[in-house]
Amino acid sequence: MAYREGTPRLHLFDMDGTLIRGSAAAVDIFRQLGMLEEIAALERQFGARGIGPPEYAEAVHALWQDLTEAHVAAAFVAAPWLAGIREVWREIRERGDYCAVISLSPSFFVERLLNWGVHAAHGSRFPDLPFSRPVDPTGILSAAAKVKIANRLCAEFGVGLDACVAYGDSMSDAEIFATVPVTVAVNADRHLVGLATHCYTGGDLREAYELVGNPG
């Protein structure tokens, strides 16, 4: 079914590398802990596909035994966010559209974006802080899980996949880019650029959002 002008849209945002330019929640958390060498090694393994999301989550969980809510709050504030995020989400709401963040990063970081006006925020489920339980691999998201969550959000908001717009930066967004009709590669690697409807390089989400246009 083709998208009909005047019907609500659902804007789906990745977080790491997309809303956070050139960084990721885990990197910014490790920076607060003074453990940049450790996260650099993990990022290299993950980038080379030597480990997958569950193994990555278990590794950071083991290194985050001293992590507190104060560390997470400080990492969130210090992260290099794109400008204009709250303004874009406010405009989306005012238009009667919907917006959501789906990220492989820990939900205790991702869900802080609810305070910025996004309708929904989904991340990998970790135990409550400070950790007293192991991480459950079944709660760790993957690229395929992003598509499943997108389908669930469509049902929740009464929006078809044909009315979705996805914003991402890396191959972890490739599956959702292949699922929805309009996609925006934001400061993306060369692999995702070739899959995108629009490409944006810069520091302001308002400019990336303008590429999509607003029919209706």
Side-chain angles (χ1 to χ4, degrees), residues 24-109:
V27 173
D28 292 305
I29 289 171
F30 272 105
R31 183 175 289 110
Q32 292 297 320
L33 295 170
M35 302 173 69
L36 287 177
E37 290 185 8
E38 289 84 346
I39 186 58
L42 279 176
E43 287 288 310
R44 285 194 296 271
Q45 284 184 280
F46 187 70
R49 300 188 180 182
I51 57 174
E55 294 80 15
Y56 182 96
E58 289 173 350
V60 298
H61 176 273
L63 292 166
W64 283 350
Q65 293 308 302
D66 295 326
L67 185 64
T68 67
E69 289 285 355
H71 290 124
V72 177
F76 186 89
V77 170
W81 299 101
L82 292 187
I85 294 173
R86 279 170 278 201
E87 290 83 355
V88 167
W89 291 347
R90 181 166 60 247
E91 182 172 334
I92 287 171
R93 282 180 171 271
E94 289 173 351
R95 292 185 59 83
D97 291 341
Y98 301 95
C99 50
V101 175
I102 309 174
S103 171
L104 275 57
S105 282
S107 58
F108 58 69
F109 190 100

Side-chain angles (χ1 to χ4, degrees), residues 88-191:
V88 167
W89 291 347
R90 181 166 60 247
E91 182 172 334
I92 287 171
R93 282 180 171 271
E94 289 173 351
R95 292 185 59 83
D97 291 341
Y98 301 95
C99 50
V101 175
I102 309 174
S103 171
L104 275 57
S105 282
S107 58
F108 58 69
F109 190 100
V110 181
E111 289 172 1
R112 289 175 175 267
L113 290 169
L114 292 169
N115 293 326
W116 286 12
V118 73
H119 286 94
H122 293 270
S124 294
R125 294 193 303 276
F126 278 68
D128 293 338
L129 293 173
F131 296 144
S132 60
R133 295 180 291 110
V135 66
D136 181 356
T138 64
I140 304 305
L141 301 189
S142 64
K146 286 190 172 187
V147 178
K148 292 180 181 178
I149 292 171
N151 276 287
R152 193 162 71 238
L153 289 170
C154 283
E156 179 181 341
F157 296 133
V159 175
L161 276 174
D162 59 290
C164 288
V165 182
Y167 304 74
D169 75 299
S170 68
M171 286 305 291
S172 67
D173 302 302
E175 290 194 37
I176 201 162
F177 268 44
T179 303
V180 306
V182 180
T183 55
V184 185
V186 179
N187 297 316
D189 61 33
R190 60 183 178 84
H191 304 289

